[in-house]
Amino acid sequence: MSEGGASADELESAVVDIKEEAGRRASDGSIMPGSPHNNEAAEKLAEAAACMANSAGGGALVVGVDDKTGRIIGAETDPQWLRSRIYDLTDRKLVVQVDRVTANGTEILIIEVPQALEPVPYQGKYQHRIDARCVPATRTELMGALFANLAADVSNMPSHTPIISIAPSAIETLRGRMSGDGSPRAELPIRDLLGRLGLVADDGEHLNKAGEMLLAVRQQPAVDYSYRHVPGGPSIVRIMEGGRSLLEEVLAVEARANDHNLVTEITIGLQVHKVWAIPRRSLREALLNAVCHREWSLPGPTVVEHIGNHLRVTSPGGLIGGVTENNIITHHSVPRYRTLMNALRLIGLVEQEGVGVDMMFAEMVRIGSRPPAITALSDPAVRIDLYGQPVNEDWYRLFADLEPPRGRDDVDAALLVWRAAQPQSPFLTSESCAPLLQRSQGDTEAALRRVAEYRLATPGVPLLSPIAMPHDTPGAWQLSPEAKAALGLQPGAESGEWVLAWARERGRISSGEYRELAGVSTATATNRLKEMAQQGWLVPSSDAGRGRGFHYLPAR
């Protein structure tokens, strides 16, 4: 590539595609000034990137070069914006790295495209690269070729890092972590140990990519951890150190985070329970999942912000494999790097596949905290917020007292109790709870009936109470009076907000339903509903305003 150099055809190959920024050619063929947010260029580049990602090994797009002559003409699209735009245009399946570089005194863009983990569409269609051309393909064709077994697991590919180059400190840390869990594998010769963990390439002399990610010395830090007492305050602790393995770095960050993790002791019977403001398993799961699910082709560390009892973990790369913010609890696990994830599981650092996110949600609610928040950012990145707090003993004791014991680990039970304890939503129905449980209404109905069978061992009463409803309407529940008392909640709530929510969902509300939900007398319930009708929020079902079957309707 140079002034008057080789043509684009001569420079292109199966892994290199030469592009100029679309939308900058005037009718006379001259190049017009560009824009940082050039959507026409982004669309063309997203299509080319999707094609490259659907090809073995991925490749690179060189942007800012005349398609015909190979002459450098420059690129002015903002790299960060372009990366985010390509992510959106490929159905949030493709994360690329975009860098601005200088060639012969002119700035161009290099877009590094990794081989995807699943077929990447552009506008609903698929292409892949054969030699220097993009040719159409169906998703079925791609799945039967390159993407057989959900694509070649990048972390299982061989690396150039010999086993003998692993630093002694990394080996010591690995053995120490496994021996601490009583694993008999910890004392195996290092080659045998790594083989059992699936971290060795086929030649037996080198690490595979997972082993390299986990155990090779990293010059750039993988994690940026900071601790502050309060938002906006100075960093009391900052860990951002290269020169060691990812395993050492992650365990060091976990240890320092737990140094600032408030612990409370609760005595139940003859047992003393240590309960942390951020449950330790949840803290580890948030950290390890962010590290092993992140997109390692992107530069920059996973950022861990620990402020008081709040932990926020932000990792580069988006959610994959059909996982979204709205199904992450119930969707099957889709690891970006399966071999790496499996090794971490064998080492004992991540939970059994498919239970880690469930566990985080259940543990946070059991201490009286709100559920975690998992957010897909447009950068792209994924952010996990754990809102820790000193344990609420009433909440902890209630879950410790549940029978049968399986109810104590039931994430549906935790989320339903949390929702029913909110004053604006004291009722539980399949329609209102389906988004929270991330289930269909049918599955949510089944979960409600299952949780309604759980009991407080002391005094042996149900966790949930059914709300009396007409026989031809779906079931509804609320926390039983004993459960409310155990959590220190008021017997009922008289917020107009939940009354309207109930009326809109159910299409009606009667004084009997209000009485049960709010825990008030029939006379009080009748008066409250009459007041809301006078204010225009509700409409009486008949002009008589009384009688058998009389109820109110939501105002339209």
Side-chain angles (χ1 to χ4, degrees), residues 197 210 238 365:
L197 296 175
R238 181 76 183 277
V365 171

Side-chain angles (χ1 to χ4, degrees), residues 208-220:
N208 58 20
K209 288 291 186 180
E212 184 179 62
M213 289 177 185
L214 189 62
L215 297 171
V217 172
R218 307 179 59 85
Q219 296 310 314
Q220 298 300 318

Side-chain angles (χ1 to χ4, degrees), residues 184-330:
R185 297 176 177 174
E187 300 307 319
L188 289 172
I190 189 60
R191 289 173 188 270
D192 293 343
L193 174 57
L194 296 176
R196 297 289 183 90
L197 296 175
L199 299 177
V200 179
D202 290 342
D203 67 0
E205 299 297 325
H206 292 79
L207 296 170
N208 58 20
K209 288 291 186 180
E212 184 179 62
M213 289 177 185
L214 189 62
L215 297 171
V217 172
R218 307 179 59 85
Q219 296 310 314
Q220 298 300 318
V223 183
D224 179 0
Y225 171 84
S226 62
Y227 175 79
R228 295 178 172 85
H229 290 308
V230 295
S235 292
I236 307 302
V237 177
R238 181 76 183 277
I239 300 177
M240 192 178 179
E241 303 173 9
R244 52 183 172 171
S245 69
L246 175 63
L247 179 64
E248 295 168 273
E249 195 174 349
V250 166
L251 292 179
V253 167
E254 181 191 13
R256 293 308 300 273
N258 278 318
D259 287 343
H260 296 279
N261 195 2
L262 181 67
V263 63
T264 303
E265 291 189 349
I266 299 177
T267 301
I268 299 179
L270 299 177
Q271 291 187 321
V272 177
H273 298 240
K274 288 188 174 182
V275 188
W276 281 264
I278 301 172
R280 288 166 67 99
R281 285 199 311 167
S282 295
L283 187 153
R284 171 179 288 173
E285 190 72 18
L287 177 59
L288 266 295
N289 264 287
V291 166
C292 61
H293 283 296
R294 64 159 288 171
E295 176 55 73
W296 280 104
S297 67
L298 297 176
T302 294
V303 178
V304 182
E305 301 168 274
H306 193 177
I307 305 172
N309 294 318
H310 175 200
L311 190 79
R312 168 172 287 180
V313 184
T314 306
S315 57
L319 297 169
I320 64 168
V323 178
T324 70
E325 301 157 294
N326 299 319
N327 68 11
I328 195 166
I329 300 174
T330 54

Side-chain angles (χ1 to χ4, degrees), residues 9-308:
D9 286 345
E10 295 173 308
L11 295 169
E12 288 183 335
S13 68
V15 295
V16 177
D17 196 1
I18 305 296
K19 296 290 184 185
E20 66 176 62
E21 283 181 318
R24 293 184 58 189
R25 284 282 183 181
S27 57
D28 62 1
S30 62
I31 301 296
M32 299 184 294
S35 164
H37 297 173
N38 182 339
N39 199 58
E40 184 176 350
E43 291 175 349
K44 296 291 186 183
L45 294 171
E47 182 178 15
C51 173
M52 189 74 78
N54 290 333
S55 309
L61 309 180
V62 181
V63 185
V65 180
D66 188 302
D67 293 275
K68 295 183 175 60
T69 67
R71 183 172 63 89
I72 296 173
I73 56 179
E76 299 183 21
T77 305
D78 177 70
Q80 184 70 19
W81 176 85
L82 180 58
R83 185 177 76 174
S84 178
R85 190 74 185 112
I86 290 174
Y87 181 57
D88 288 335
L89 288 167
T90 56
D91 290 355
R92 296 197 157 204
K93 294 183 182 297
L94 179 58
V95 178
V96 299
Q97 175 60 23
V98 185
D99 292 305
R100 188 180 297 281
V101 301
T102 300
N104 293 340
T106 303
E107 290 187 335
I108 62 173
L109 299 178
I110 304 295
I111 302 177
E112 296 181 30
V113 183
Q115 179 182 317
L117 299 176
E118 59 181 314
V120 176
Y122 176 74
Q123 294 186 348
K125 298 180 180 179
Y126 297 89
Q127 297 184 85
H128 66 142
R129 202 162 174 85
I130 296 180
D131 296 326
R133 296 182 304 113
C134 284
V135 299
T138 66
R139 191 178 195 280
T140 301
E141 288 170 341
L142 291 174
M143 289 298 293
L146 177 65
F147 291 93
N149 301 319
L150 278 183
D153 176 14
V154 174
S155 65
N156 194 37
M157 296 175 67
S159 78
H160 297 295
T161 301
I163 293 173
I164 59 173
S165 71
I166 302 175
S169 60
I171 295 174
E172 182 181 352
T173 300
L174 175 62
R175 291 193 189 280
R177 178 68 193 82
M178 296 184 71
S179 63
D181 279 352
S183 173
R185 297 176 177 174
E187 300 307 319
L188 289 172
I190 189 60
R191 289 173 188 270
D192 293 343
L193 174 57
L194 296 176
R196 297 289 183 90
L197 296 175
L199 299 177
V200 179
D202 290 342
D203 67 0
E205 299 297 325
H206 292 79
L207 296 170
N208 58 20
K209 288 291 186 180
E212 184 179 62
M213 289 177 185
L214 189 62
L215 297 171
V217 172
R218 307 179 59 85
Q219 296 310 314
Q220 298 300 318
V223 183
D224 179 0
Y225 171 84
S226 62
Y227 175 79
R228 295 178 172 85
H229 290 308
V230 295
S235 292
I236 307 302
V237 177
R238 181 76 183 277
I239 300 177
M240 192 178 179
E241 303 173 9
R244 52 183 172 171
S245 69
L246 175 63
L247 179 64
E248 295 168 273
E249 195 174 349
V250 166
L251 292 179
V253 167
E254 181 191 13
R256 293 308 300 273
N258 278 318
D259 287 343
H260 296 279
N261 195 2
L262 181 67
V263 63
T264 303
E265 291 189 349
I266 299 177
T267 301
I268 299 179
L270 299 177
Q271 291 187 321
V272 177
H273 298 240
K274 288 188 174 182
V275 188
W276 281 264
I278 301 172
R280 288 166 67 99
R281 285 199 311 167
S282 295
L283 187 153
R284 171 179 288 173
E285 190 72 18
L287 177 59
L288 266 295
N289 264 287
V291 166
C292 61
H293 283 296
R294 64 159 288 171
E295 176 55 73
W296 280 104
S297 67
L298 297 176
T302 294
V303 178
V304 182
E305 301 168 274
H306 193 177
I307 305 172

